Amino acid sequence: MEETETIIQMEDVHTPILKNISLQVKKGEIITLIGGSGAGKSSLLMLLNRLVDPDKGTIHFRGRDVRDYEIPKLRKSIGMVLQSSSLFEGTVADNLAFGPKLFQEWEENMGEELLAHVQLPASYLHREVETLSGGEQQRVAFARTLANRPDVLLLDEVTSAVDLKNVDLIEAFLLEIVPKNVKAIMMVTHDVKQARRLGDRTIFMENGKIVEMGPTEKLFTNPQTERLQYFLKE
């Protein structure tokens, strides 16, 4: 049986917040990260597309040290979506085209296809982003990131500020795009039920360290550490 491709590998990574982080991200998986506020979950994501660099340790993407990539190209391949949609003023089409135009990759027919991924009609291309609801803006933010054709998506509390309808739409979208459109997802969520619904593997963090990680259902049904047991009861 062929071994699943490793997309990201972190070995003994340290920052002022994170301590001794080692993990692998494999092709075709969604990894959910859980833990209390200040556990280091968002800090871990920021290392992967070089919003922050480690003081010690190595991070490899597709077998190469992330420091060997030009930062714009790395962030094109490892896309990030945040809790707030972070769209800029203008139309939906302006936002979708921004990244691909930097690399001369934008084609006019891409807009409709990208909106279809997030279940928005083509007519939204000409809408000003400020006229959209919060959930619609977040879906456009996903489409904008997908426009760069990333290999990996980093998601930081992306559904925490949207209504339940949009949560359901976004979750269905995430399950559909791996591995068809992206190779893997790392997703920080405060919602442990969401982590359980979406994750192939789950990482539990506390005080900048990985306390426990493993297949999601096993981790939730049979936690090995007292700290995770306590966290899941809260």
Side-chain angles (χ1 to χ4, degrees):
M1 183 174 170
E2 186 178 348
E3 185 178 351
T4 304
E5 178 187 357
T6 298
I7 305 293
I8 291 173
Q9 181 153 353
M10 305 178 72
E11 293 184 3
D12 197 27
V13 169
H14 292 254
T15 74
I17 296 172
L18 300 170
K19 309 298 177 191
N20 193 31
I21 301 294
S22 295
L23 60 87
Q24 291 184 337
V25 180
K26 300 280 191 179
K27 180 180 178 181
E29 68 178 354
I30 298 176
I31 297 178
T32 49
L33 291 91
I34 60 173
S37 298
K41 307 181 297 297
S42 298
S43 297
L44 193 156
L45 289 192
M46 289 179 183
L47 285 167
L48 298 177
N49 66 358
R50 297 197 64 198
L51 290 170
V52 177
D53 283 329
D55 298 330
K56 177 186 172 187
T58 59
I59 304 170
H60 286 82
F61 170 59
R62 291 194 167 282
R64 289 175 57 194
D65 193 305
V66 293
R67 291 169 294 188
D68 293 340
Y69 290 86
E70 295 178 17
I71 287 179
K73 290 185 177 179
L74 180 68
R75 291 178 182 165
K76 179 179 185 293
S77 295
I78 304 179
M80 193 167 192
V81 183
L82 304 173
Q83 178 178 349
S84 60
S85 64
S86 302
L87 301 176
F88 52 79
E89 290 184 8
T91 66
V92 169
D94 293 335
N95 276 269
L96 297 182
F98 180 77
K101 281 185 175 179
L102 292 177
F103 294 92
Q104 291 79 50
E105 294 178 355
W106 179 251
E107 298 172 8
E108 290 304 321
N109 64 339
M110 288 172 60
E112 292 186 17
E113 181 182 340
L114 289 164
L115 289 185
H117 280 309
V118 295
Q119 296 189 35
L120 290 173
S123 59
Y124 273 52
L125 285 170
H126 309 293
R127 292 270 300 269
E128 296 288 326
V129 295
E130 63 187 24
T131 68
L132 306 182
S133 70
E136 289 169 341
Q137 289 183 6
Q138 191 66 300
R139 284 150 67 189
V140 171
F142 272 102
R144 182 177 66 179
T145 302
L146 281 184
N148 290 321
R149 299 187 176 98
D151 285 323
V152 178
L153 277 184
L154 309 177
L155 310 179
D156 195 357
E157 302 278 14
V158 292
T159 62
S160 61
V162 302
D163 59 47
L164 289 176
K165 175 187 174 184
N166 280 290
V167 170
D168 290 343
L169 284 168
I170 289 170
E171 288 188 4
F173 158 71
L174 294 176
L175 291 170
E176 180 187 332
I177 64 171
V178 179
K180 185 169 62 176
N181 299 98
V182 299
K183 301 286 194 301
I185 290 174
M186 291 193 73
M187 179 179 190
V188 170
T189 178
H190 72 282
D191 182 344
V192 293
K193 291 180 180 178
Q194 181 179 68
R196 190 171 186 174
R197 285 193 300 268
L198 297 181
D200 298 300
R201 286 193 294 137
T202 295
I203 296 172
F204 170 59
M205 297 184 68
E206 191 175 79
N207 297 323
K209 296 180 180 180
I210 294 175
V211 176
E212 197 167 333
M213 65 178 165
T216 296
E217 196 57 30
K218 182 177 180 182
L219 187 136
F220 275 89
T221 56
N222 188 27
Q224 298 298 298
T225 60
E226 288 186 7
R227 283 178 286 179
L228 179 54
Q229 293 169 17
Y230 179 77
F231 177 79
L232 293 176
K233 288 178 181 177
E234 286 186 307

